[in-house]
Amino acid sequence: MTHRDAHNPILFEISWEVANKVGGIYSVIRSKAPVTVHELGDRYTLIGPLFQKTAIAEVEPEEVSNPCMKEVLEEMSHHGVRWRYGRWLIEGAPHVLLFDTGSTSTKLEEWKADLWKVAGIPSPPNDQEANDAILFGYLINWFLGDFVAREKSKAVIVHFHEWLSAVGIPLMRKRHVDVTTIFTCHATLLGRYLSSGTVDFYGNIKNFVVEEEAGKRGIYHRYCIERAAAHCADVFTTVSQITAYEAEHLLQRKPDGVLPNGLNAVKFSAMHEFQNLHARNKGKINDFVRGHFYGHYDFDLDNTLYFFTAGHYEFKNKGVDTFIESLASLNSRLIASNSPMTVVAFIIMPAATQSFAVESLKGQAVTKQLKETINDITEKIGQRIFEKAARYTGGDIIDAIVEPTELLTNKDKVFLKRRVIALKRGGWPPIVTHNMVDDSSDPILNSIRHVRLLNSPDDRVKIIFHPEYMSSSNPLIGLDYEDFVRGCHLGVFPSYYEPWGSSPAECTVMGVPSITTNLSGFGCFMEDILETPADYGIYIVDRRTKSAKESINQLADYMLQFCQKSRRQRINQRNRTERLSDLLDWKIMGMEYVRARKLALYRTYPDSFAGSEAGDFGGIKVKIPKPLSAPGSPRMKGKSGVSDDEEITEGMQNLGFKISGYDDDEE
């Protein structure tokens, strides 16, 4: 093996979602890129698939500057491989290399046979996604094999995300390509299938015959790719402790550590700025609610709270079933306690729709007409008062004042009456804003109907199912998702299967309290860091040890407690929640990626670190050989508030709060 410089390595990060938005990994890689570019500069390149339509908008082409890379790519071009090299048009502008898998489709059968011969991985003929993964994997193996044969001075780290990009890992291991590899599993293939079934996934995880279960679901070949990647990688990681537990049993290798997902937190120079954003966006949600509940708008918006859940339409995995059952319990409790509070609960999940519901559009139209009429009348009244006062020439000052009976003309009264009459409606406000393609069999709608949350005047919990992602161009609410979240009071994400959980993390950086579970990566992460997460607006429902009914009651308890807070208490809690955003920033979270790379280098080139207690990697001192958080060994112990990780501890101290709790006088 060539002696390589392990202290100034080259990094290739590989994913099917580089400059190709498919799911959540796109956001993870895109948001992490700036800190990696800052750390490694031009020694960092992302590799993904080439799709011309998206690549034109995502990547700015440029000449290949690395001479070894240029030679390899030119040679691949001579063999018919199409590729695109340039800068990804995002913050940090990292180098990207995209390969067109279609340009080598004629080699598919040859490579499939080779994959079976070399790695024992089967590949049925009619799985296009698996075929793409094989073509992509062989292109990666081709490129990197030739690249390291030319670039002999620096160590090369190759970091793969998810099974679609990972065929190259067993190939490079079998062919002894001189690189060190990392594989990050964002969620196991089999875990997604098993968790959505009727079986208690976590309770039975140790009993599954995984090969048999994968075979039953027609994903055995995909499972083989994923497991081979996990076992052949020099360092195997997951995104959370809960996924590490899952991977250990389903992929049969205990991960070396956890690489949590971060965000690029936007900090405000003054605390009141994000509170102002909340007030402004809440005002727009208020406008929508007035229209949606026209004719039955008999509740006080000053005593109304907006709860929401959002994400992909996964009824059980995202915990929508638990959320709806808990809302029914909350409704009963608010009615029984004679609470003045009303809760409007939004469910934002895309589903098949035909169009906006006429009743929803009508509600926004009639309230808008009413507002315009009143504005018009108010302007006329002001003009009348001005004219009367302007004509005052002396005498009794009372003569310059318009009598109240003179303010509204008969014409004004007629217009106003017409608008008020238009607000009358026959039925109750709808529970869904769109016409669904299959209304009668939709799980969310059927669950809402089952618990009888039908927006009746007596209900203290109103519910709105919006089966479309939020957009500022939407004629109903007219807010982008981020602005909608800022306008709400509480995010509720009682997930049963959630490898990480970007939604509650996004709430946190926007200063919005949220409810999550101890079966989500985010919930486990916060439990490890904070002794009392609820003090910072992170409520964690126990779905691991409690029964379904107990979890529903606990969620209802949390929502009721939130309803009982005063406005001042909610403001203080939002301040505390927003202060956690530093913990989720990639400047902190990215440290775990640094440690994973350090571990990979240490395992592959141990002689480079001989006799040293710590290595310098990108300007960061990292102890050897314990460079990242191992599953089951949280890097921050919540109860003591003490960290073994100096960089993280410093970041925590910079926040200025106690990890084990908070002082009442902090705000």
Side-chain angles (χ1 to χ4, degrees):
M1 186 175 286
T2 307
H3 179 74
R4 296 179 179 273
D5 179 3
H7 298 284
N8 295 284
I10 294 170
L11 171 65
F12 292 101
E13 193 161 9
I14 301 172
S15 171
W16 192 257
E17 298 193 37
V18 170
N20 175 40
K21 189 171 184 178
V22 178
I25 299 174
Y26 172 90
S27 299
V28 172
I29 293 173
R30 178 187 172 118
S31 61
K32 183 179 68 65
V35 298
T36 313
V37 170
H38 179 73
E39 175 196 338
L40 296 172
D42 287 342
R43 289 184 284 125
Y44 174 48
T45 303
L46 290 146
I47 302 180
L50 173 59
F51 297 102
Q52 294 291 352
K53 287 184 179 179
T54 54
I56 290 172
E58 294 263 6
V59 177
E60 181 180 15
E62 66 174 32
E63 288 292 320
V64 182
S65 55
N66 184 299
C68 296
M69 189 183 297
K70 187 173 184 179
E71 283 182 27
V72 175
L73 291 174
E74 286 177 351
E75 186 176 324
M76 293 178 76
S77 294
H78 292 153
H79 288 85
V81 178
R82 291 193 296 268
W83 49 270
R84 185 185 186 96
Y85 181 85
R87 297 274 186 175
W88 195 355
L89 297 174
I90 59 174
E91 184 183 352
H95 291 293
V96 292
L97 172 60
L98 307 179
F99 285 112
D100 181 358
T101 56
S103 64
T104 55
S105 59
T106 56
K107 294 184 176 291
L108 179 60
E109 295 306 318
E110 175 190 340
W111 286 346
K112 279 185 172 185
D114 184 70
L115 185 62
W116 172 252
K117 179 181 177 182
V118 171
I121 297 174
S123 48
N126 299 318
D127 187 340
Q128 185 59 49
E129 203 169 26
N131 289 345
D132 289 339
I134 292 169
L135 291 170
F136 188 51
Y138 270 83
L139 283 168
I140 297 298
N141 182 70
W142 183 352
F143 167 74
L144 290 173
D146 287 359
F147 177 79
V148 296
R150 290 170 170 81
E151 168 54 76
K152 298 180 179 180
S153 61
K154 290 184 172 64
V156 176
I157 306 168
V158 192
H159 191 153
F160 296 82
H161 293 268
E162 283 291 81
W163 75 274
L164 265 170
S165 71
V167 170
I169 298 178
L171 291 176
M172 287 190 289
R173 169 58 66 90
K174 296 288 185 181
R175 289 169 178 166
H176 306 289
V177 177
D178 191 6
V179 298
T180 186
T181 56
I182 304 169
F183 176 51
T184 296
C185 180
H186 292 254
T188 69
L189 277 166
L190 194 53
R192 286 198 180 278
Y193 279 86
L194 292 172
S195 63
S196 60
T198 57
V199 179
D200 176 9
F201 173 58
Y202 291 102
N204 290 280
I205 195 168
K206 296 179 181 179
N207 304 322
F208 290 121
V209 180
V210 289
E211 292 87 351
E212 183 180 321
E213 296 293 344
K216 286 179 185 176
R217 289 158 179 80
I219 59 166
Y220 179 72
H221 55 295
R222 297 184 180 194
Y223 168 76
C224 288
I225 294 172
E226 187 176 52
R227 188 173 66 179
H231 283 266
C232 292
D234 293 300
V235 172
F236 173 43
T237 65
T238 63
V239 295
S240 64
Q241 301 285 0
I242 193 71
T243 311
Y245 174 75
E246 173 188 334
E248 181 179 357
H249 292 287
L250 299 186
L251 298 180
Q252 298 163 348
R253 177 181 174 182
K254 185 173 183 177
D256 296 295
V258 169
L259 307 181
N261 294 337
L263 294 163
N264 291 323
V266 177
K267 301 300 291 181
F268 296 97
S269 56
M271 183 64 74
H272 67 268
E273 289 184 50
F274 88 91
Q275 297 284 8
N276 290 343
L277 282 174
H278 166 72
R280 185 161 65 245
N281 291 307
K282 185 181 72 171
K284 294 181 180 179
I285 299 175
N286 285 345
D287 290 340
F288 164 76
V289 166
R290 291 187 188 100
H292 190 83
F293 291 94
Y294 83 94
H296 292 284
Y297 171 47
D298 56 357
F299 47 93
D300 180 9
L301 289 184
D302 287 336
N303 285 320
T304 297
L305 298 175
Y306 297 136
F307 295 176
F308 81 99
T309 192
H312 296 299
Y313 196 141
E314 297 176 44
F315 183 65
K316 179 188 173 186
N317 284 353
K318 295 294 184 184
V320 186
D321 52 349
T322 300
F323 182 40
I324 294 170
E325 292 282 350
S326 297
L327 287 174
S329 177
L330 176 65
N331 186 48
S332 300
R333 298 184 195 190
L334 291 175
I335 293 171
S337 63
N338 236 0
S339 172
M341 301 302 296
T342 297
V343 170
V344 178
F346 293 88
I347 299 173
I348 314 296
M349 288 187 171
T353 63
Q354 295 172 331
S355 60
F356 290 104
V358 172
E359 192 65 11
S360 294
L361 292 170
K362 179 183 176 183
Q364 301 308 311
V366 295
T367 51
K368 183 180 179 182
Q369 288 173 343
L370 175 63
K371 189 173 185 178
E372 290 173 350
T373 298
I374 290 173
N375 288 339
D376 185 48
I377 291 173
T378 302
E379 186 178 345
K380 290 177 181 176
I381 289 173
Q383 187 65 29
R384 290 180 196 128
I385 294 173
F386 172 75
E387 287 294 336
K388 184 74 179 285
R391 288 199 299 268
Y392 174 68
T393 57
D396 192 346
I397 195 69
I398 300 299
D399 294 338
I401 299 175
V402 179
E403 293 295 325
T405 54
E406 299 175 9
L407 292 178
L408 276 177
T409 66
N410 288 333
K411 186 178 180 181
D412 292 336
K413 291 176 183 178
V414 169
F415 275 126
L416 192 54
K417 285 178 181 178
R418 285 178 179 173
R419 297 294 179 247
V420 172
I421 290 171
L423 293 176
K424 292 183 179 180
R425 77 195 305 171
W428 295 341
I431 58 175
V432 60
T433 56
H434 292 58
N435 295 314
M436 305 289 288
V437 169
D438 197 357
D439 183 285
S440 61
S441 62
D442 182 80
I444 291 177
L445 288 178
N446 284 338
S447 181
I448 293 170
R449 291 163 184 152
H450 175 71
V451 299
R452 303 294 297 169
L453 281 179
L454 302 176
N455 292 339
S456 77
D458 296 330
D459 286 332
R460 296 273 43 85
V461 173
K462 317 290 185 180
I463 197 161
I464 299 172
F465 176 28
H466 187 276
E468 187 179 283
Y469 285 129
M470 288 292 171
S471 168
S472 56
S473 61
N474 186 308
L476 297 180
I477 302 181
L479 286 172
D480 287 326
Y481 177 73
E482 181 177 319
D483 293 327
F484 173 78
V485 172
R486 287 190 183 279
C488 289
H489 298 92
L490 182 71
V492 186
F493 311 99
S495 302
Y496 178 73
Y497 183 80
E498 191 71 77
W500 174 243
S502 58
S503 295
E506 289 166 348
C507 284
T508 302
V509 300
M510 288 187 271
V512 177
S514 64
I515 299 176
T516 183
T517 75
N518 59 1
L519 290 182
S520 77
F522 176 80
C524 294
F525 179 78
M526 284 302 177
E527 275 191 322
D528 288 343
I529 293 176
L530 305 172
E531 183 181 2
T532 51
D535 290 346
Y536 294 94
I538 310 293
Y539 300 90
I540 300 174
V541 174
D542 184 359
R543 296 202 65 179
R544 190 180 300 172
T545 64
K546 292 182 182 293
S547 67
K549 185 176 181 180
E550 289 171 329
S551 298
I552 289 167
N553 287 333
Q554 186 182 20
L555 176 54
D557 289 341
Y558 284 151
M559 292 192 291
L560 182 61
Q561 290 169 21
F562 191 86
C563 290
Q564 292 168 340
K565 289 182 181 295
S566 67
R567 182 174 180 273
R568 172 52 54 187
Q569 287 173 325
R570 294 197 303 271
I571 290 173
N572 286 344
Q573 188 175 62
R574 281 200 297 273
N575 288 338
R576 295 190 187 101
T577 302
E578 196 271 343
R579 286 169 64 187
L580 291 177
S581 61
D582 282 352
L583 290 176
L584 299 172
D585 196 287
W586 274 119
K587 293 181 182 65
I588 296 292
M589 293 295 208
M591 293 292 295
E592 295 303 321
Y593 278 77
V594 173
R595 290 167 175 74
R597 294 194 285 271
K598 191 68 176 181
L599 180 58
L601 289 167
Y602 178 76
R603 286 180 172 172
T604 307
Y605 309 106
D607 292 345
S608 297
F609 304 98
S612 63
E613 293 183 359
D616 188 346
F617 188 76
I620 300 169
K621 296 291 184 182
V622 182
K623 292 182 179 179
I624 300 170
K626 187 185 177 184
L628 76 164
S629 306
S633 303
R635 62 183 179 183
M636 280 176 280
K637 304 295 185 182
K639 292 189 177 179
S640 66
V642 177
S643 171
D644 293 329
D645 181 324
E646 294 178 2
E647 289 82 10
I648 300 294
T649 302
E650 183 180 351
M652 297 288 285
Q653 290 171 344
N654 288 339
L655 297 180
F657 64 85
K658 296 178 181 178
I659 305 308
S660 58
Y662 63 87
D663 294 328
D664 291 336
D665 298 330
E666 277 185 334
E667 303 305 335

